[in-house]
């Protein structure tokens, strides 16, 4: 990361949040953009990979309250003209390396140059007694994506599933140092462990990643044979994940802190589970309500009846069908649907389907013929043709 980046980049704009954004708003914006541009879901798209790096870089600064404060103060100072003009007017050349190294403060006082040096010393880990190497800075673990297939009942009632996750973690052979067992990395003499080096551009000097240690701040003379000096390796683990009741097909479930472990004391990432729900042989779903189609006979629909209707993982309920019930009418059974977040449940929507017998014996045919004769004056299609012509 070069010093110039901090003067030109607006990390708030990168995340799409105002400068007054709270920590939760910043985190929410980062999660949304990280999912959108994550390389795992955009393989081969270099533009989105670059965007993902920019979003992660912005979040690294703004998620840390101390670094965010230093970043805001530094941008305010540069915005007020500290960089290129003296307070009394007239430009003068300067070296950012001097400012950031904390060597300013002329005339024995704590001037603007020293103040800027303190601010950027914190941002870039340069100068002062609080210097830390870039490899020892706490870093949040990566978010991890996984998928799970549930039965219809498991999705409605909730379930605990076993997931085998693969993510990047500190190499167990070298404990993340990148050095072979029995050896230790040494501080890079070029950047003195800061991971950054100064590059002279005439009247300006900008900070950039150290070429010798590639920004790590450490050099490995005898690399770990497992991770080849990287310090990171693929880690596979099995966890028990609780899928909450009421998840729908295609829904993404977030489990906070169940992702890849952090580095150097940093927090773990989050786990995002994509759910797939198998259909049920009897029940369907409409939001928080369950649906069911209940067959009834012609006589039950015409004369009325009390019928038994199954429920999901519960005892059947008795449903009263009034006389003259038409085919397709839906009845509501309260509280026998999908569990909601507030602890209540949706309903069971039972739609009746009048079943026409495929075969009739002589007695049934005779009775139906008598019924047909008795109701011959009731023609349900009496005005059908007329209404069709009037449109």
């Amino acid at each position: 990361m070069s010093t110039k980046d901090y003067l030109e980049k607006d990390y708030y704009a990168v995340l799409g949040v105002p400068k007054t954004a709270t920590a939760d708003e910043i985190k929410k914006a980062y999660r949304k953009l990280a999912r959108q541009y994550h390389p795992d879901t955009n393989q081969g798209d270099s533009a989105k990979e670059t965007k993902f790096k920019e979003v992660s870089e912005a979040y690294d600064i703004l998620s840390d309250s101390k670094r965010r404060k230093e970043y805001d103060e530094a941008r305010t100072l540069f915005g007020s003209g500290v960089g290129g003009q003296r307070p009394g007017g007239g430009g003068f050349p300067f070296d950012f390396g001097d400012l950031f190294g904390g060597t300013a403060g002329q005339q024995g006082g704590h001037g603007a140059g020293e103040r800027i040096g303190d601010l950027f010393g914190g941002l870039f880990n340069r100068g002062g007694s609080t210097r830390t190497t870039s490899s020892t800075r706490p870093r949040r673990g990566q978010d991890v994506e996984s998928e799970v297939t549930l039965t219809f009942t498991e999705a409605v009632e909730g379930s605990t599933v076993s997931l085998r996750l693969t993510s990047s973690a500190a190499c167990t052979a070298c404990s993340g140092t990148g050095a072979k067992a029995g050896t230790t990395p040494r501080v890079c003499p070029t950047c003195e462990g800061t991971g950054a080096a100064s590059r002279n551009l005439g009247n300006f000097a900008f900070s950039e990643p150290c070429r010798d240690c590639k920004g790590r701040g450490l050099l490995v003379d005898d690399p770990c044979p497992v991770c080849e000096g990287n310090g990171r390796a693929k880690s596979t683990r099995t966890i028990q994940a609780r899928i909450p009741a009421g998840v729908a097909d295609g829904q993404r479930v977030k489990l906070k802190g169940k992702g890849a472990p952090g580095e150097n004391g940093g927090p773990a990432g989050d786990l995002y589970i994509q759910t797939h729900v198998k259909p049920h042989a009897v029940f369907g779903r409409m939001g928080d309500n369950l649906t069911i189609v209940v067959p009834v006979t012609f006589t039950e629909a015409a004369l009325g009846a009390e019928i038994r209707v199954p429920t999901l993982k519960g005892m059947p309920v008795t449903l009263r069908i009034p006389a003259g019930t038409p085919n397709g009418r839906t009845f509501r059974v309260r509280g026998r649907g999908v569990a909601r977040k507030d602890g209540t449940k949706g309903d069971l929507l039972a739609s009746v389907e009048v079943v026409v017998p495929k075969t009739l014996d002589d007695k049934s045919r005779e009775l139906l013929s008598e019924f047909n004769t008795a109701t011959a004056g009731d023609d349900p299609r009496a005005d059908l043709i007329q209404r069709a012509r009037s449109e």
Side-chain angles (χ1 to χ4, degrees), residues 204-256:
F204 299 91
F206 291 103
S207 179
E208 62 182 4
C210 176
R211 296 180 179 179
D212 291 341
C213 66
K214 296 179 175 57
R216 288 193 67 196
L218 299 173
L219 292 176
V220 176
D221 296 319
D222 196 357
C224 169
V226 177
C227 65
E228 299 179 345
N230 191 336
R232 306 291 292 174
K234 291 292 183 182
S235 173
T236 302
R237 57 197 171 99
T238 301
I239 69 166
Q240 300 298 311
R242 179 63 186 174
I243 306 298
V247 296
D249 183 48
Q251 183 176 337
R252 296 176 82 241
V253 178
K254 174 185 175 182
L255 299 181
K256 187 174 179 60

Side-chain angles (χ1 to χ4, degrees), residues 103-156:
T103 58
Q106 287 123 4
Q107 301 176 353
H110 297 278
E114 185 175 8
R115 175 61 176 152
I116 297 172
D118 292 340
L119 291 175
F120 281 87
L123 285 173
F124 301 122
N125 294 316
R126 294 173 59 89
S129 59
T130 59
R131 177 182 298 173
T132 58
T133 67
S134 59
S135 61
T136 59
R137 184 184 305 131
R139 293 181 62 86
R140 180 183 178 277
Q142 291 182 336
D143 292 339
V144 177
E145 299 272 353
S146 186
E147 292 182 292
V148 65
T149 299
L150 305 171
T151 66
F152 188 90
T153 303
E154 288 174 334
V156 171

Side-chain angles (χ1 to χ4, degrees), residues 301-358:
L303 302 177
E306 288 187 352
I307 61 175
R308 286 167 62 80
V309 177
T311 62
L312 187 68
K313 294 196 70 175
M315 297 296 294
V317 296
T318 299
L319 186 64
R320 186 183 299 275
I321 304 297
T325 295
N327 182 61
R329 180 176 176 179
T330 300
F331 297 87
R332 185 181 297 270
V333 182
R334 302 284 183 183
R336 294 305 181 100
V338 181
R340 302 188 181 101
K341 291 182 179 180
D342 61 3
T344 63
K345 284 190 173 184
D347 303 328
L348 174 62
L349 305 180
S351 301
V352 297
E353 180 181 62
V354 178
V355 178
V356 178
K358 295 181 179 180

Side-chain angles (χ1 to χ4, degrees), residues 51-385:
K51 183 67 176 177
F52 178 76
K53 292 178 180 178
E54 293 176 356
V55 169
S56 300
E57 176 185 314
Y59 183 68
D60 281 344
I61 295 296
L62 300 185
S63 63
D64 186 312
S65 58
K66 181 180 178 182
R67 299 180 73 198
R68 179 183 178 182
K69 180 180 179 182
E70 293 170 341
Y71 170 73
D72 289 341
E73 291 180 352
R75 283 176 61 86
T76 299
L77 286 173
F78 274 102
S80 61
V82 173
Q85 298 289 332
R86 292 183 183 275
F92 64 95
F94 59 91
D95 187 322
F96 284 123
D98 293 338
L99 293 179
F100 304 148
T103 58
Q106 287 123 4
Q107 301 176 353
H110 297 278
E114 185 175 8
R115 175 61 176 152
I116 297 172
D118 292 340
L119 291 175
F120 281 87
L123 285 173
F124 301 122
N125 294 316
R126 294 173 59 89
S129 59
T130 59
R131 177 182 298 173
T132 58
T133 67
S134 59
S135 61
T136 59
R137 184 184 305 131
R139 293 181 62 86
R140 180 183 178 277
Q142 291 182 336
D143 292 339
V144 177
E145 299 272 353
S146 186
E147 292 182 292
V148 65
T149 299
L150 305 171
T151 66
F152 188 90
T153 303
E154 288 174 334
V156 171
E157 300 290 327
S159 178
T160 299
V161 297
S162 294
L163 293 176
R164 190 172 179 82
L165 305 178
T166 300
S167 60
S168 177
C171 174
T172 55
C174 64
S175 300
T177 65
K180 185 178 180 180
T183 67
T184 57
R186 58 187 175 88
V187 175
C188 175
T190 303
C191 64
E192 299 181 348
T194 64
S198 180
R199 182 160 63 97
N200 225 324
L201 296 176
N203 291 333
F204 299 91
F206 291 103
S207 179
E208 62 182 4
C210 176
R211 296 180 179 179
D212 291 341
C213 66
K214 296 179 175 57
R216 288 193 67 196
L218 299 173
L219 292 176
V220 176
D221 296 319
D222 196 357
C224 169
V226 177
C227 65
E228 299 179 345
N230 191 336
R232 306 291 292 174
K234 291 292 183 182
S235 173
T236 302
R237 57 197 171 99
T238 301
I239 69 166
Q240 300 298 311
R242 179 63 186 174
I243 306 298
V247 296
D249 183 48
Q251 183 176 337
R252 296 176 82 241
V253 178
K254 174 185 175 182
L255 299 181
K256 187 174 179 60
K258 295 295 185 179
E263 299 179 52
N264 304 316
D270 298 330
L271 171 61
Y272 291 89
I273 304 174
Q274 187 83 25
T275 60
H276 303 283
V277 181
K278 296 179 180 178
H280 196 279
V282 173
F283 295 97
R285 182 171 175 181
M286 185 183 298
D288 293 335
N289 299 323
L290 295 180
T291 62
I292 185 173
V293 176
V294 184
V296 297
T297 66
F298 168 76
T299 54
E300 287 175 329
L303 302 177
E306 288 187 352
I307 61 175
R308 286 167 62 80
V309 177
T311 62
L312 187 68
K313 294 196 70 175
M315 297 296 294
V317 296
T318 299
L319 186 64
R320 186 183 299 275
I321 304 297
T325 295
N327 182 61
R329 180 176 176 179
T330 300
F331 297 87
R332 185 181 297 270
V333 182
R334 302 284 183 183
R336 294 305 181 100
V338 181
R340 302 188 181 101
K341 291 182 179 180
D342 61 3
T344 63
K345 284 190 173 184
D347 303 328
L348 174 62
L349 305 180
S351 301
V352 297
E353 180 181 62
V354 178
V355 178
V356 178
K358 295 181 179 180
T359 58
L360 295 172
D361 58 23
D362 292 341
K363 180 64 175 178
S364 299
R365 187 181 299 277
E366 180 182 351
L367 292 173
L368 285 175
S369 295
E370 292 179 6
F371 174 79
N372 187 50
T373 301
T375 60
D378 299 329
D379 186 359
R381 299 175 297 279
D383 63 343
L384 181 63
I385 295 177

